[in-house]
Amino acid sequence: MFSNGVAVLNDLGVSLDGAGGRIDRIDALTSDGRLRTTMDLVHTAAHFGFENKSVSRNVLLDRLAEGLPEGLVHYRTGFRSVTQDDDRVTVTFDDGSTATGDLLIGADGHHSEVRRQLWGEDVVRTATFGTWQALSPIDIDLTHTHLHLMITGKEGACGLIPGGDGLLQWWFDVRWSPSDPRPTAPLAELRRRFGHWASPVPEVLAAAREEDLGFFGHHWNRVRPVWGQGRVTLIGDAAHTMPPTLGQGANQTLEDVWVLGRELAKGGDLPVRLRAYEKDRYPKVSLVSRLARRSPANWRIPPAIGRLFPETSQTTMLSRFSNRLTAVTG
């Protein structure tokens, strides 16, 4: 959760106090341990007014759900179709039941059925990397810091972020396509592939547990200037699936929430407000999506070039770049 996402949560009254781990700095390293670049996130937190944090998705969902009325959220009910007229929108579910309201927000993610009905056959494409990841109790020095490491080499990329409470968020990016066979012993494969990298990668792999490990392939779709139709719109991955290389998927979804809420609060013609929301979000989120697709986390800036830019300069560039991308600046 970077400052832009935390800012939206704060505006919604959702606190992350005591959750996860604070991120104060990002160091980009070579696989043999040399420093490429470094960025001071204490500076960006002061600039935007909100900390950067590594937070478990489950913890975030629990915080979002606090105080919701009993029975408000219904699970295991698949979307089948939507119809609308000038005043209302009606959704039909897989079990034949229906729900009617003023608008429909398709927040159904990467495999969005609402998007499929609006845009036609699935437009999501496969990117070139996939991620093996976990959140594990790994007791190494890094786990008890506020330092985020991004490590890259010819074998792929590794990310390590302290997650608070003795947990470490760790992942490995490897080239991938859906036709690739899934390894029967993925942790052994990761150890073979990355185990010779500089510390602390071998220590993480030695302490890792197979049962914590999960995989997801990277996907993307070209962001459209208009996402919805009439009283229907999209939000988050349903509108802009992107690889996780910028760490902006959840943060951009929260920015969607903030802008949509602002537009709806203006009142008036609801379809007009939904198109205004989409128009506002399009230039920012399409830029983020394009950059994420190009996998900047896997760019291998030579250490000699990184040293040409002092940490303060790199941090200033990050702040200006983040300000360009975000609709919420504190």
Side-chain angles (χ1 to χ4, degrees):
M1 299 301 305
F2 285 106
S3 295
N4 55 327
V6 178
V8 176
L9 291 172
N10 180 78
D11 195 56
L12 295 173
V14 178
S15 171
L16 293 182
D17 289 349
R22 191 180 77 245
I23 308 170
D24 288 347
R25 195 171 90 237
I26 300 177
D27 283 356
L29 308 177
T30 63
S31 60
D32 60 3
R34 290 175 295 156
L35 181 67
R36 296 185 191 273
T37 60
T38 187
M39 292 185 181
D40 178 7
L41 296 189
V42 173
H43 175 88
T44 61
H47 179 81
F48 291 116
F50 298 95
E51 293 178 339
N52 305 273
K53 306 195 77 172
S54 172
V55 181
S56 161
R57 181 181 298 271
N58 289 338
V59 170
L60 177 59
L61 291 175
D62 286 343
R63 295 292 178 98
L64 288 168
E66 284 179 1
L68 292 180
E70 187 72 25
L72 180 66
V73 181
H74 298 263
Y75 297 97
R76 296 178 294 277
T77 306
F79 170 89
R80 180 186 296 172
S81 63
V82 57
T83 59
Q84 58 180 311
D85 55 31
D86 291 340
D87 300 312
R88 305 289 278 173
V89 58
T90 300
V91 171
T92 300
F93 298 104
D94 285 343
D95 62 2
S97 64
T98 62
T100 301
D102 295 320
L103 74 159
L104 170 65
I105 301 171
D108 49 341
H110 164 191
H111 300 287
S112 173
E113 290 296 331
V114 179
R115 179 188 63 226
R116 191 186 302 273
Q117 182 159 335
L118 290 171
W119 296 7
E121 278 309 302
D122 208 355
V123 296
V124 173
R125 301 289 180 260
T126 302
T128 55
F129 280 83
T131 297
W132 290 98
Q133 68 167 10
L135 181 67
S136 306
I138 295 181
D139 189 14
I140 60 174
D141 289 344
L142 180 67
T143 305
H144 309 287
T145 71
H146 303 290
L147 173 63
H148 172 189
L149 294 183
M150 282 299 306
I151 311 166
T152 52
K154 64 180 181 180
E155 294 84 1
C158 171
L160 304 171
I161 308 181
D165 298 323
L167 299 174
L168 184 72
Q169 181 186 357
W170 56 275
W171 69 92
F172 290 89
D173 288 347
V174 296
R175 288 197 172 274
W176 164 84
S177 74
S179 61
D180 292 342
R182 192 70 57 86
T184 56
L187 188 53
E189 173 62 20
L190 292 176
R191 287 170 176 158
R192 183 197 66 78
R193 189 182 186 101
F194 296 97
H196 65 284
W197 280 18
S199 179
V201 174
E203 293 90 331
V204 170
L205 287 170
R209 303 179 306 192
E210 194 87 53
E211 59 266 28
D212 294 333
L213 196 58
F215 178 83
F216 68 93
H218 298 184
H219 294 82
W220 68 280
N221 69 274
R222 189 178 303 278
V223 183
R224 298 189 177 193
V226 179
W227 303 351
Q229 178 182 337
R231 292 174 171 267
V232 182
T233 192
L234 302 173
I235 206 168
D237 280 1
H240 42 77
T241 302
M242 65 182 76
T245 49
L246 287 179
Q248 276 293 319
N251 293 286
Q252 290 301 311
T253 298
L254 287 168
E255 289 206 18
D256 289 350
V257 170
W258 192 86
V259 175
L260 178 58
R262 181 194 65 191
E263 290 300 325
L264 293 176
K266 294 177 181 178
D269 187 272
L270 196 146
V272 170
R273 298 272 58 82
L274 296 183
R275 303 296 85 76
Y277 146 71
E278 297 161 6
K279 181 178 180 181
D280 185 286
R281 291 295 294 140
Y282 169 70
K284 298 181 179 68
V285 78
S286 60
L287 175 58
V288 176
S289 179
R290 290 197 303 273
L291 290 171
R293 182 190 169 199
R294 293 168 187 165
S295 297
N298 296 309
W299 295 347
R300 298 176 193 152
I301 302 171
I305 293 178
R307 287 194 293 270
L308 295 176
F309 298 91
E311 181 177 330
T312 52
S313 298
Q314 296 172 35
T315 302
T316 299
M317 286 189 288
L318 174 65
S319 294
R320 290 175 178 172
F321 179 67
S322 298
N323 192 47
R324 180 184 176 193
L325 297 184
T326 184
V328 185
T329 57

